[in-house]
Amino acid sequence: MVKIREIINSESFVQLVKYVLIGILGLVVDFGIYTILTYFKVNVEIANIISSTCGIINNFFWNSYTNFKVHDHLIVRFISYFLVGQITTVFTTLSLFIFVNQLGYPHLIVKIVATFVATLIQFIINKMITFKKVRNNK
């Protein structure tokens, strides 16, 4: 029981919870734009790239200022975050192409599952690389 309490109170766990909450906000942006674009018959892969990019940009600023609280090297951090996000966008886009276009699964279900997997991958990479705090050796 003490070990569980330590995990729940750890900085990494709190950051993961905040990351997920910010991710939910990003999903609202992502899925909102995706739904609008697909409603107007935009190709699902193109709609995914556009909507994911908007979600990535939204989430970077929320994570930078409210979760990991690192504001130094903002442009470098943004580029790193954006590239990580775009790598996972490629993953979700390929998932949509394979499971929707080739296998006929419903596009919203595929997008939800692929986004969940991508979010876990993003958290690990972004915590270790993008939002790693720079230590001053003075």
Side-chain angles (χ1 to χ4, degrees):
M1 198 64 172
V2 172
K3 189 71 171 166
I4 293 172
R5 192 169 295 137
E6 286 177 14
I7 291 170
I8 290 172
N9 291 328
S10 72
E11 180 182 27
S12 290
F13 184 80
V14 171
Q15 286 174 336
L16 176 60
V17 170
K18 286 180 181 179
Y19 194 86
V20 168
L21 293 174
I22 290 167
I24 291 168
L25 176 61
L27 284 175
V28 170
V29 170
D30 182 356
F31 277 81
I33 292 170
Y34 178 81
T35 301
I36 291 167
L37 291 173
T38 56
Y39 176 80
F40 288 107
K41 307 298 183 208
V42 174
N43 175 280
V44 294
E45 291 89 356
I46 300 298
N48 184 64
I49 291 167
I50 293 167
S51 65
S52 294
T53 299
C54 293
I56 289 166
I57 293 168
N58 173 77
N59 289 3
F60 171 76
F61 288 104
W62 282 103
N63 273 303
S64 183
Y65 285 95
T66 64
N67 189 7
F68 297 103
K69 296 178 180 155
V70 288
H71 313 118
D72 60 336
H73 312 288
L74 208 55
I75 293 173
V76 173
R77 290 182 191 280
F78 176 76
I79 291 169
S80 174
Y81 189 87
F82 189 79
L83 289 174
V84 170
Q86 290 304 344
I87 290 167
T88 56
T89 297
V90 169
F91 170 77
T92 57
T93 303
L94 284 172
S95 297
L96 285 163
F97 175 75
I98 292 167
F99 290 102
V100 175
N101 292 337
Q102 304 301 312
L103 300 174
Y105 287 92
H107 68 99
L108 284 176
I109 300 296
V110 173
K111 178 140 173 85
I112 290 167
V113 172
T115 300
F116 176 77
V117 172
T119 298
L120 294 175
I121 295 167
Q122 284 177 340
F123 173 75
I124 293 166
I125 295 171
N126 282 322
K127 178 169 175 53
M128 293 172 55
I129 297 171
T130 304
F131 294 112
K132 182 178 181 183
K133 292 186 177 160
V134 178
R135 296 182 186 191
N136 291 332
N137 293 329
K138 290 183 180 179

